[in-house]
């Protein structure tokens, strides 16, 4: 799909930046004129992806997270969240509901939530090198809008 617009942000893996990331994603997605429900879905998926990077990629240190957002043809929003932390040993296992490496206070539902709110979810990871999550969501065109 053709890229129509994009932004790229980098920030430290501090929990205070999760709100910033979801707000920035919502502000960028606003140009597609999403419904409040669509905007909420985007914010939730970004929140889960960034929280995963904060909690799992850098459990004992502050690292860096890169977020890239793109507007693609077909009124599609693409969100990429990348970290350079621990990586995931077994992606298939990590994507199963209730699986977590974050201790008993974590629900293990991050990937499941991302998948339920987005149209596509891809996860690439290498132990010791980090994880990249790419999500896409088509935003419905509203009646009377081009």
């Amino acid at each position: 799909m053709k890229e129509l617009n994009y932004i790229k942000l980098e920030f430290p893996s501090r929990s205070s930046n999760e709100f910033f990331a979801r707000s920035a994603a919502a502000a960028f997605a606003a140009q597609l004129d999403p419904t409040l429900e669509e905007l909420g879905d985007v914010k939730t998926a970004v929140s889960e992806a960034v929280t995963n990077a904060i909690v799992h990629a850098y459990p004992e240190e502050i690292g860096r997270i890169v977020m890239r957002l793109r507007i693609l043809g077909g009124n599609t929003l693409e969100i990429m969240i990348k970290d350079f932390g621990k990586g995931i040993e077994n992606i298939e296992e990590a994507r199963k509901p209730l699986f977590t490496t974050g201790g008993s206070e974590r629900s293990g539902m991050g990937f499941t939530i991302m998948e339920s709110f987005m149209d596509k979810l891809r996860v690439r990871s290498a132990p010791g090198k980090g994880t990249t999550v790419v999500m896409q969501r088509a935003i419905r065109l509203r009646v009377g809008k081009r």
Side-chain angles (χ1 to χ4, degrees):
M1 279 187 220
K2 184 179 177 187
E3 179 180 89
L4 304 174
N5 197 6
Y6 75 94
I7 62 168
K8 184 177 178 182
L9 304 168
E10 183 175 320
F11 48 91
S13 62
R14 297 185 191 288
S15 59
S16 57
N17 286 330
E18 178 271 330
F19 178 79
F20 166 75
R22 67 185 272 139
S23 298
F28 184 76
Q31 66 193 288
L32 293 172
D33 195 25
T35 64
L36 289 176
E37 181 180 349
E38 289 169 328
L39 208 50
D41 291 352
V42 166
K43 289 167 67 176
T44 299
V46 167
S47 181
E48 291 295 330
V50 170
T51 298
N52 272 1
I54 291 167
V55 170
H56 300 290
Y58 305 109
E60 298 182 27
E61 63 184 345
I62 299 296
R64 71 187 170 109
I65 297 172
V66 173
M67 179 171 76
R68 184 191 70 211
L69 299 123
R70 299 191 313 158
I71 303 294
L72 305 174
N75 226 40
T76 298
L77 175 67
E78 181 180 82
I79 303 159
M80 188 247 349
I81 308 290
K82 180 176 181 145
D83 68 64
F84 304 87
K86 286 177 56 171
I88 300 171
E89 295 276 337
N90 184 331
I91 294 172
E92 187 177 318
E93 184 177 32
R95 289 184 68 166
K96 289 181 183 174
L98 305 178
F99 177 84
T100 185
T101 60
S104 61
E105 71 278 359
R106 309 307 310 177
S107 71
M109 295 297 291
F111 286 127
T112 303
I113 291 168
M114 286 179 246
E115 207 161 30
S116 70
F117 287 114
M118 304 305 280
D119 297 326
K120 292 182 183 175
L121 173 69
R122 294 187 316 273
V123 182
R124 294 186 312 269
S125 190
K129 296 187 181 199
T131 300
T132 302
V133 173
V134 179
M135 304 176 280
Q136 288 185 347
R137 171 73 184 255
I139 304 298
R140 292 182 305 259
L141 287 173
R142 298 207 215 168
V143 176
K145 301 276 182 173
R146 191 190 99 143

